[in-house]
Amino acid sequence: AGMTVTEERQRSVEFTDTYANSNQVAIVKEDSDITGSDALAGKIIGVQLGTTGDALATEIKDATVERYNKGLEAVQSLTQGKIDAVVIDQATAEAFVKKTEGIKILEEKMSEEEYAIAIAKELKEEGKIDEIVAKYMDAE
């Protein structure tokens, strides 16, 4: 699966070369008084469970983090006034803002990230990748 490369994740999996770059951003209501990441302190922030947005929001001083299974659920909670912001991948944020009235992306980027494909460490260490390639990609 494609995911953000982090030091913590590198302890568990191997990554391919980076194939894309992205940012984590915050989505807020258009009339929000939140203008940057510093203003997220003490706010209720929605995130998709287990993402780098989740990790970033957890570090914000005095913030309450609401975790959702899907980013769409977090955005719906924002539009319903249940939370103050959503921290999420920029491309995903842009898609949500394009389809949802009354929300915007803050200009300040919260982080820069690299995406790669993760594979089990054991596959690389035991030479299993060559076996898989031979099995599924063999020209014969």
Side-chain angles (χ1 to χ4, degrees):
M3 65 174 59
T4 303
V5 178
T6 66
E7 286 183 30
E8 181 179 343
R9 290 175 177 168
Q10 286 177 320
R11 289 191 283 273
S12 301
V13 297
E14 291 290 335
F15 285 99
T16 63
D17 291 336
T18 300
Y19 66 83
N21 295 311
S22 186
N23 302 298
Q24 289 293 308
V25 296
I27 304 173
V28 296
K29 286 185 152 185
E30 286 182 345
D31 61 355
S32 175
D33 61 351
I34 298 171
T35 57
S37 60
D38 289 345
L40 291 171
K43 302 293 185 185
I44 303 171
I45 304 169
V47 298
Q48 185 173 343
L49 179 67
T51 62
T52 50
D54 185 350
L56 282 170
T58 301
E59 295 176 7
I60 296 172
K61 184 179 180 179
D62 299 324
T64 300
V65 180
E66 296 288 333
R67 292 172 176 86
Y68 299 87
N69 289 323
K70 297 182 179 183
L72 176 59
E73 295 168 351
V75 171
Q76 289 171 333
S77 287
L78 174 65
T79 61
Q80 295 166 356
K82 295 177 180 177
I83 59 177
D84 300 306
V86 174
V87 175
I88 199 163
D89 172 82
Q90 184 173 358
T92 305
E94 289 170 355
F96 285 136
V97 168
K98 186 175 182 179
K99 294 179 181 180
T100 309
E101 287 188 35
I103 61 174
K104 65 181 181 180
I105 300 170
L106 296 182
E107 288 185 32
E108 177 186 353
K109 308 299 185 245
M110 297 188 65
S111 74
E112 294 181 13
E113 302 179 341
E114 296 179 334
Y115 290 160
I117 297 172
I119 57 174
K121 281 190 174 284
E122 297 79 19
L123 292 178
K124 186 173 183 181
E125 292 168 0
E126 297 175 11
K128 297 288 184 186
I129 291 176
D130 292 336
E131 290 177 30
I132 292 170
V133 170
K135 180 177 179 179
Y136 293 103
M137 305 291 274
D138 193 354
E140 296 178 19

